[in-house]
Amino acid sequence: MKYNPEKIERKWQRYWEAKKFYHTKNSPPAGGNYMLLTEFAYPSGNLHIGHWLAFSVPDILARYLKMNGKNVLYPTGFDAFGLPAENAAIQRNINPRDWTEENIKQMTKQLKSIGAMFDWSRAISTIDPEYYKWTQWMFLKMYEKGLAYREKTFVNWCPKDKTVLANEQVKDGYCDRCGTEVEQKELFQWMFKITDYADRLIDDLDKADYPETVRVAQRNWIGRSEGALLKFPIFNPKFSKGGQEYIEVFTTRADTLFGATYLVLAPEHPMVTKLTKDENLSAVSKYLEEVKNKTEMERLHIDKSKTGVNTGGYVLNPINNEKIPIWVADYVIGWYGTGAVMAVPAHDERDYEFAKKFDLPIKEVVKGGNIEKSAFTENGVLTNSDEFDRISSGEARKRIVEKLKEKGLADFKKNYKLHDWVLSRQRYWGVPIPMIRCGPPAGGCGYQPVPEKDLPVELPKLEDFKPTDDGRSPLAKAEGWVNVKCPKCGQEAKRETDTMDTFVDSSWYFLRYADPKNKKEFADKKKLKSWLPVPLYIGGAEHNTMHLLYSRFITKALYDLGCLDFSEPYLARRNHGVILDLTGQKMSKSKGNATDPDKEVSKYGADSVRMYLAFAGPYDQNIIWSAEGLVGIFRFLNRVWNFIGEPVEPKTADKEVDKILNKFTKEIGDDIKDLKFNTGVSGLMKLLNAIEDKWLTKKQYGTFLKLLAPFAPHIAEELWQTVLKNKKSIHLEKWPKYNEALLSDEPIELVIQINGVKREVLKITKGLSEEDVKRIVLDNENVKKHLAGKEIKKFIYIKDRLVNVVV
RNA sequence: GCCGGGAUGGUGGAAUUGGUAUACACGCACGACUUAAAAUCGUGUACCGCAAGGUUUGAGGGUUCGAGUCCCUCUCCCGGCACCA
């Protein structure tokens, strides 16, 4: 019979499903529980080849761990709310729910064709009210703790999607979802106080086994910098009546304070007009108007040359009371720090450029550079700084701040680039924010949380769910839903009509896998304890900042709320790459270069696709899809198919085969454990090459199939049950044990170098002493030839490996 | 600009972490089977050289008996951050 994957794969998938093989029990066996987490899928339409990479390759590890006695949970689910689904539904003029549910059905079918050991009994979907009830519950808990709040701020507004976006969802000034240029709007929004967790989010990165890229990306994103807050007294008769007023600035270079020759306010700074002298007012207003008309893009990227105007106002340098002019310039960012900086042109490139352009004084206070030519931004020794002269920058930073601190004019301060997480969206397809607004904007009870017993606040069915231009969610139109009684006073009130960012839904989904059907809690404490934190989380690098940061934050918040007894959700994280076409382009539907996995599966089978993806390269690197490479794997599986035949009697067992199997049992197992799936596959190939023309016993054939089973579960099962006539599934078998003694039994090849150049390879037994080896080596004809007439200076012997004779 | 990762045959990649560079595949070439092709099997395949031998891991230098691996300088590619004070 020929190898026909289409015939056997469906059959075994049904068999495994019928026998509930992968329905994980809660009680751990001796080996313990292990949740191997992969990122759940967004139901966008069809499964693409990237999903196969994300799910089929880690399945190799899941199966290996199961064979090694772990109670493995390989969960799956759908991250089903969100903008793309909603936009797609609008385009097709159908309801987002219908569209999403249809996709979930289709993708579930496709996911099953992978042959992964997903536990479908625990599958979750974020649009299930039984799930999002707990998303809302968590929001309320956060609200109680003051971690969720509503405030008017400048937010990113996508004019096409008609919703606000979190900072993380804006890429170079464009909407991450649709590519439209993002505008800044000042709106009331719901936010999570993620900034409260900035330090812990950085410091705890070292508590888990995260790849360096993740650590760096998150640290960059949070952007902690340590410096000081300095108060500059305002010198302006207009405002000094009735107590001194100050401009606060943040700086990491307090050591350069004596070099501050002017002060700059961001155009957004609330004090700008107040501080501007009457005769400068028209110039300043004009400038503010100009800046307002610039888009974020122009301000950040196109127009990098410095602009600004003098306000005519002054502050005093707190360290020496020098009078310093106040300027307004848009190179200072409104939201970062205090929106004002002390300008030290001698020691900051931006200030230098600005000072040159507007002819402001440049005063050197740190020695080491040439300020005639450029700003000197490194540390050095202070000069022109009174009592601080000849002190190093590092020391001066401390001392200057300490001195000012005594007068209440400074303090040490950490600053962050991280913003609070704007979580409200003015869109239909999301989890309703469980809040009720009582009374007019002023008066009434204000915002009141929906009582816990009323959860979930279900998303109503809407005929017209299209977004609006007025910054209001489409839910505002659902009058029957919006109008409720205030939970506090019982008066007429309205529901919050914004929905939550989908990243809230996906920030805690892995917790639900521990107890997906629980109606009383988001998960039972005991079950949480037995499954979490996640031992290993595998996913795409595109989630290294957003999703990973958010889920770490929510985990920490839940920990603080007493809901969890761990504060870091994952013990380890590994990234997988993306799939590229032969020209190195990223595969995508829109480019038309995407491989359709269904087609490949119907041609070569799921086993071939799985093994190809595992084989094509290291798992954390990008994979180049090669149709020819896939055929190579298919050929290999055909050879396997033809190899497993009628077993011989144990009496005639080939001992050599045992040795080979023993060696590869260790090698392949180690490879899987280390996520080196590519060399694991090559190990299987080497193994087959070594034993292909030998006759094996049933046990030996079985061992081979067990090594193959995690990679190609269908063909392994077929040959195991139908050719070898085993009654039970191969996927209930244990990973073969290898014999350490047998490994060291092997003769080894000793490399002989003369002056570092390989001259001879000798087969010797393991563990020989240096004297024995020396005798054997110097007796070798080839070695003698190369040594003739030369004096041996050194004889280096690396045990069981190599000899280097230096002459 | 700062930070991180990388560069190995015609291609994807391997290399026990300082010890045989190019495993395993793909591709290609030749051969076998075939009327023929496909499939399959066999042989070869880093480069120079008839050979002995020599050269080779982006470029150059260094440490070492020995470097793809460690150190320094540089080039290019990918990713994160970026007027963040």
Side-chain angles (χ1 to χ4, degrees), chain A residues 45 94 96-108:
Chain A
I94 49 175
R97 179 168 286 276
D98 297 336
W99 160 254
T100 303
E101 282 174 352
E102 191 50 46
N103 285 342
I104 288 176
K105 225 190 263 167
Q106 163 72 359
M107 287 174 76
T108 300

Side-chain angles (χ1 to χ4, degrees), chain A residues 472-502:
Chain A
R472 279 176 29 176
S473 159
L475 283 175
K477 289 178 271 188
E479 286 187 13
W481 180 83
V482 167
N483 294 314
V484 284
K485 297 273 183 277
C486 170
K488 195 175 175 191
C489 69
Q491 301 285 310
E492 295 289 318
K494 282 183 190 302
R495 286 192 192 281
E496 170 61 59
T497 56
D498 284 359
T499 54
M500 290 191 219
D501 180 9
T502 41

Side-chain angles (χ1 to χ4, degrees), chain A residues 8-175:
Chain A
I8 62 167
E9 289 183 349
R10 197 72 51 79
K11 177 178 83 183
W12 292 116
Q13 283 160 15
R14 290 211 189 99
Y15 171 89
W16 299 328
E17 193 163 356
K19 299 223 164 188
K20 300 188 173 167
F21 264 26
Y22 306 125
H23 287 204
T24 324
K25 300 267 183 338
N26 275 310
S27 50
N33 286 338
Y34 195 104
M35 185 197 294
L36 179 61
L37 186 67
T38 52
E39 287 160 356
F40 61 167
Y42 190 87
S44 53
N46 271 296
L47 214 62
H48 53 75
I49 194 71
H51 288 118
W52 275 75
L53 182 66
F55 303 133
S56 76
V57 179
D59 183 57
I60 297 167
L61 177 63
R63 288 177 180 278
Y64 171 81
L65 291 171
K66 183 174 152 73
M67 289 177 90
N68 279 281
K70 293 267 185 229
N71 185 36
V72 176
L73 168 56
Y74 193 48
T76 190
F78 290 99
D79 185 15
F81 274 126
L83 264 177
E86 189 175 340
N87 287 343
I90 290 169
Q91 249 176 42
R92 289 164 178 80
N93 204 25
I94 49 175
N95 192 281
R97 179 168 286 276
D98 297 336
W99 160 254
T100 303
E101 282 174 352
E102 191 50 46
N103 285 342
I104 288 176
K105 225 190 263 167
Q106 163 72 359
M107 287 174 76
T108 300
K109 211 172 95 194
Q110 291 172 310
L111 280 169
K112 288 183 175 175
S113 78
I114 289 176
M117 46 179 280
F118 286 132
D119 181 352
W120 287 99
S121 73
R122 289 180 190 248
I124 57 173
S125 167
T126 55
I127 57 172
D128 179 355
E130 283 301 317
Y131 178 88
Y132 69 68
K133 173 180 176 179
W134 300 107
T135 311
Q136 291 173 336
W137 181 85
M138 283 172 197
F139 175 91
L140 291 178
K141 288 282 150 193
M142 308 261 291
Y143 178 78
E144 266 171 44
K145 269 258 169 178
L147 288 172
Y149 66 99
R150 192 176 142 90
E151 206 174 88
K152 193 172 192 180
T153 47
F154 276 99
V155 289
N156 307 296
W157 174 263
C158 174
K160 179 147 181 259
D161 286 333
K162 293 170 186 164
T163 183
V164 302
L165 299 168
N167 255 21
E168 285 82 345
Q169 288 157 347
V170 180
K171 274 224 153 197
D172 296 326
Y174 294 95
C175 172

Side-chain angles (χ1 to χ4, degrees), chain A residues 295 325 376 417 468 500 564:
Chain A
T295 67
F376 175 68
K417 291 184 205 170
T468 55
M500 290 191 219
L564 298 173

Side-chain angles (χ1 to χ4, degrees), chain A residues 487-682:
Chain A
K488 195 175 175 191
C489 69
Q491 301 285 310
E492 295 289 318
K494 282 183 190 302
R495 286 192 192 281
E496 170 61 59
T497 56
D498 284 359
T499 54
M500 290 191 219
D501 180 9
T502 41
F503 276 104
V504 184
D505 312 350
S506 59
S507 286
W508 71 278
Y509 74 109
F510 49 93
L511 302 173
R512 187 69 175 170
Y513 284 139
D515 194 10
K517 305 251 154 57
N518 197 322
K519 296 205 171 207
K520 292 192 190 114
E521 305 165 88
F522 67 89
D524 173 75
K525 279 226 159 158
K526 255 199 207 144
K527 290 178 181 172
L528 280 171
K529 205 170 189 152
S530 75
W531 286 109
L532 292 144
V534 173
L536 178 60
Y537 190 16
I538 297 177
E542 71 274 19
H543 290 126
N544 282 354
T545 40
M546 305 206 251
H547 164 62
L548 229 53
L549 192 71
Y550 291 149
S551 58
R552 294 181 60 230
F553 159 61
I554 293 286
T555 301
K556 286 177 197 307
L558 289 173
Y559 171 81
D560 290 350
L561 287 160
C563 301
L564 298 173
D565 57 7
F566 53 90
S567 66
E568 197 61 30
Y570 322 113
L571 296 181
R573 163 87 180 182
R574 292 291 177 269
N575 288 139
H576 63 242
V578 297
I579 299 186
L580 310 174
D581 68 12
L582 284 170
T583 66
Q585 295 276 307
K586 201 174 158 180
M587 278 192 176
S588 74
K589 228 198 249 170
S590 53
K591 277 191 215 142
N593 62 348
T595 295
D596 176 8
D598 289 356
K599 252 190 213 157
E600 305 298 331
V601 170
S602 68
K603 251 200 239 166
Y604 304 106
D607 284 340
S608 286
V609 174
R610 291 168 58 108
M611 263 185 109
Y612 172 69
L613 290 170
F615 184 57
Y619 194 56
D620 58 358
Q621 263 177 47
N622 292 343
I623 298 278
I624 292 178
W625 181 267
S626 146
E628 283 160 343
L630 176 62
V631 172
I633 296 290
F634 183 61
R635 275 206 281 262
F636 168 76
L637 289 179
N638 269 287
R639 278 168 56 203
V640 171
W641 183 265
N642 296 326
F643 165 63
I644 307 290
E646 195 59 39
V648 297
E649 289 299 310
K651 279 181 291 194
T652 56
D654 188 337
K655 287 276 178 318
E656 191 57 30
V657 171
D658 280 333
K659 271 193 178 174
I660 297 169
L661 284 169
N662 189 60
K663 183 177 155 216
F664 282 103
T665 298
K666 175 168 167 53
E667 279 189 17
I668 294 167
D670 285 351
D671 281 342
I672 298 174
K673 217 172 6 191
D674 299 339
L675 276 68
K676 288 158 77 175
F677 305 109
N678 55 334
T679 51
V681 174
S682 92

